Structure formats: structure tokens, C-alpha cells
Amino acid sequence: MAFPLERATPASLDLDPKALERLLETVTRHIAEGRYPGAQIAMARRGKLALFETIGDARIDPARAQASEDTLWLLYSNTKVVTACAVWLLVERGAISFTDKVAEHLPGFEQNGKGDITIIQLLTHQGGFPNADVPKEAWQDHDLLRRAVCGFTLEWTPGSRVHYHGRAAHWTAAAMIEALTKTDYRAFIRESITEPLGLGGELFVGLPDAQHGRAVDMHEPTTDGARVVKRAEESNVEFRRAGTPGGGGYATARTMAAFYQMLLQGGTLDGTRLLSPRTVQYVTRNFTADRVDGYMGMPMHRGLGPHSRGLTDTIRGLGSIASPRTFGHGGVGSSYCWADPDSGVSFAYLTNGRLPDPWHGARLDVISNCVHAAINAGT
């Protein structure tokens, strides 16, 4: 099957080639400096792929393996938007409403004072249980997953704070999807999102064993910062198979640029309609205003999956010079993907290095601002 985005030159899409050269130079320099072994970037506009570049290595231990266009990169929390998209589809199909209480569709979730938490609160990180998690055994045991999620306990009153739920919210969403569809959430994502969009060969939530050879190893700096080493936590078969809904997806950069093009085009990609324009408008709007996210330490302008730039002084990952309506999500210490409704540009930056702040946050701003600087007028 042909990839749903046709290739085009940057100039033909009113993108400045010189600005994109600066973007590539920046990423190439990071890799030459040993910041991370490899990266893949992609940029799309008007339903066409303007940029798709792979730089550096997928793995360095025990031997170096160069990354290629087919390499699959760990999305970390970029996965959250894909999982949230499954919830959006259930709303469109009339199975649920965003204002419903989670417990209406996941019986047992009302335990421990969670009965009034709404789907909106869940997806905007206002649920009140940010540090909850499930045991590894629940990655493949659906009954255990449901029991674990229902047993989550509150840390504060739902709706009273915005505080990033790194794993808990999307494990809850996964259990709710399974309760509604009677299907493994990973299979529902594949059958209802990735395959219909023509992205099934490059976007996985739950990586099939046959595809593990395409996956990057993740890396992090040594204590002294002198080099990067493999992170065993994610560089293993068990983790890749699991497809954790808040941080275990794998994809190419061009696929993430295509996914966000679908959102920019009102829920349609290459003639295939996944969502309605109204749904896209609703889930990408700002539900949390300028309230500070307690984990991020800044307003994040949370939507029902992605977050948006807004008008605050600082923002995570999207670029400080971004249009206020730009929306997207990142992956811890490694990546960001976003879309700009005002220009029609989508962008994905994926790496295999998990790096700490303040360097990580600063480089994200530089990377995204290079892309914004390349956008000429028109959509």
C-alpha cells in the first residue's frame, strides 16, 4: 500500500528550504556531539510530505546499526494522542459522551471515590491519581488490568488541579475501551485507526514480534554525561509487545506527521475520513485555560489528548513562536509531534535519546522554532 502522503519539495509547499537546512544542521550537530545516537524528522503540508530525513544510528550496543526510513522510534507519551483518538472514535460512534463519568462505562472504577471523574477530566489530566500505575503482569492480563485501574486511589479531588498523569489516565482509557468494545485496546487502535488510515505498517501500539528488528534502542546519558548508554527498561521484547497506552507506541516520523495532517484536514487523510471536523475542533481546544500543570510547572492548555500553544510566555515542545492554536504532544526527554491549524503544517521529531532538562526543553524550543521559521504564508 502506498504511503498516504505524496512527496513534494519544500518550496512547492511554500516552505523555506534554507530554514529547513538549519533544522537539519541542528539535529546533525546534536548527533555529532553525542547527545543522542539517532533521529528522524518529518514535515508535511497540504496533504504532502515536504521533509523526511533519518540521521544517525538506531542502536549502538553491542554494535552500531544505522537508522533507516523504516526504523521505528519509541513514541513514549506521543502514544497518548493515539490512544485518546480511540476514545474520540467511540464518541463519534455514539458509544459514549465526553461528559460521561468513566465509571458509567468501566464498572468498578467508582471505587475509592472515583465515581464522579468524567472522561474530560481523565483526558485533561485532572483525574486526581497522577502517580498510579499497573503492574507489568497487567500488560497482557486484561482482567488484572481492569482490577488494577479500578483500584487506583485518589491523591486529590478530581478537577481541582491539572497535573500530568504519566501512565494512569491512559491505562484507565485503555480499560474503558476494552470494556466498551470487548476488544484488546491495541487491536481496536490497529483496526479502527492505523489500518484505515494506511499507517498500519509504520504505527504500532503493541509491536508485533516480526517488527522488533526495526525498533530503536533507547539511550540516556551516563552519570558524568560523557556518553550515552542503552536504557534496558524499554529496549526489550516484553516492553515492545506491551504497547502501553500512555507511552509504548512505535512509529516513523512521517507517520506521525501524517496522523497530525489527518487532524489538520478535519479528520481525513488521503480520502479516508476517520473523524468529523467538529470532533477534531473539540478535542484540540483548550480545556484547562492558563492553569499551571503541577508536573510541568507551566500552563499546558490541555485538550482531550494533545495540548496547545496558547498565549502564555512558555510552552512545552511546540515552539515559543508557534501560532497559539498549534497543538501536539511530546515523549519524555526525546521527542515532539505537532500540527499548526493556521499554516496547515505538521511536524514530527523522534529520537532515541532520553535526555534531562534543562537541555531537553531548550532543544525542543530550538527545533520547533526552526520549523515555524520555515513556514511562509498560506495554508
Side-chain angles (χ1 to χ4, degrees):
M1 179 183 294
F3 191 74
L5 296 184
E6 179 186 345
R7 289 296 297 257
T9 65
S12 71
L13 298 175
D14 292 321
L15 300 169
D16 182 0
K18 291 185 178 179
L20 295 182
E21 286 176 11
R22 290 192 291 272
L23 167 67
L24 289 170
E25 288 168 359
T26 299
V27 176
T28 300
R29 184 176 69 252
H30 292 167
I31 292 171
E33 292 171 349
R35 299 283 187 174
Y36 42 90
Q40 194 174 76
I41 57 176
M43 185 178 185
R45 193 180 200 185
R46 302 171 189 160
K48 296 183 178 181
L49 188 64
L51 178 70
F52 183 40
E53 295 287 343
T54 307
I55 308 165
D57 296 323
R59 291 173 294 279
I60 58 175
D61 181 24
R64 301 177 72 90
Q66 188 173 2
S68 71
E69 288 191 350
D70 288 334
T71 297
L72 297 170
W73 305 78
L74 177 58
L75 297 176
Y76 280 129
S77 288
N78 286 291
T79 313
K80 288 179 169 67
V81 180
V82 180
T83 300
C85 185
V87 178
W88 308 341
L89 280 174
L90 291 172
V91 172
E92 286 221 336
R93 295 176 182 181
I96 57 175
S97 294
F98 287 120
T99 52
D100 289 350
K101 296 173 182 177
V102 174
E104 294 176 38
H105 306 292
L106 182 60
F109 187 71
E110 67 277 3
Q111 294 175 39
N112 303 321
K114 303 192 303 298
D116 289 333
I117 297 172
T118 66
I119 295 171
I120 290 175
Q121 289 173 331
L122 180 74
L123 295 181
T124 56
H125 301 271
Q126 300 183 77
F129 48 99
N131 295 302
D133 202 357
V134 305
K136 285 186 177 181
E137 293 76 12
W139 289 0
Q140 301 296 344
D141 185 330
H142 301 278
D143 290 337
L144 178 57
L145 170 60
R146 182 170 181 153
R147 293 197 304 272
V149 164
C150 289
F152 286 167
T153 57
L154 293 176
E155 299 168 47
W156 32 266
T157 302
S160 65
R161 304 182 194 176
V162 181
H163 191 107
Y164 187 59
H165 289 49
R167 299 181 180 90
H170 292 76
W171 276 123
T172 302
M176 184 179 69
I177 291 164
E178 293 192 344
L180 285 159
T181 66
K182 312 304 180 189
T183 303
D184 185 311
Y185 72 90
R186 291 158 287 212
F188 183 78
I189 289 171
R190 182 180 67 253
E191 294 163 7
S192 301
I193 300 173
T194 62
E195 289 183 349
L197 291 176
L199 305 176
E202 297 189 19
L203 173 55
F204 300 92
V205 179
L207 193 62
D209 287 1
Q211 303 297 333
H212 286 200
R214 298 170 60 192
V216 298
D217 285 340
M218 293 305 298
H219 305 80
E220 63 186 351
T222 54
T223 303
D224 61 7
R227 59 193 179 95
V228 296
V229 294
K230 182 166 70 174
R231 282 181 55 88
E233 296 94 322
E234 298 94 2
S235 303
N236 64 79
V237 169
E238 183 183 23
F239 175 82
R240 290 168 179 159
R241 282 180 186 149
T244 58
Y250 283 81
T252 63
R254 71 173 185 171
T255 287
M256 295 308 293
F259 179 84
Y260 277 94
Q261 273 293 296
M262 178 271 294
L263 297 178
L264 287 175
Q265 297 179 127
T268 299
L269 183 66
D270 192 30
T272 297
R273 173 175 156 168
L274 188 74
L275 300 162
S276 69
R278 291 296 187 192
T279 294
V280 175
Q281 290 170 3
Y282 187 80
V283 300
T284 58
R285 78 187 217 198
N286 178 4
F287 283 80
T288 59
D290 289 345
R291 294 165 65 194
V292 172
D293 184 302
Y295 181 83
M296 300 293 179
M298 66 182 74
M300 290 296 292
H301 320 122
R302 295 283 181 194
L304 301 182
H307 71 97
S308 56
R309 168 65 181 95
L311 295 171
T312 51
D313 289 342
T314 57
I315 195 59
R316 189 74 171 174
L318 303 177
S320 54
I321 66 172
S323 159
R325 295 201 301 152
T326 300
F327 61 85
H329 210 289
V332 60
S334 60
S335 56
Y336 242 86
C337 304
W338 52 257
D340 174 12
D342 290 343
S343 69
V345 166
S346 60
F347 175 67
Y349 166 63
L350 307 178
T351 77
N352 57 353
R354 180 168 166 169
L355 302 171
D357 285 318
W359 189 86
H360 171 58
R363 62 91 176 249
L364 289 177
D365 201 54
V366 169
I367 293 290
S368 286
N369 284 342
C370 282
V371 179
H372 293 300
I375 301 172
N376 293 320
T379 57

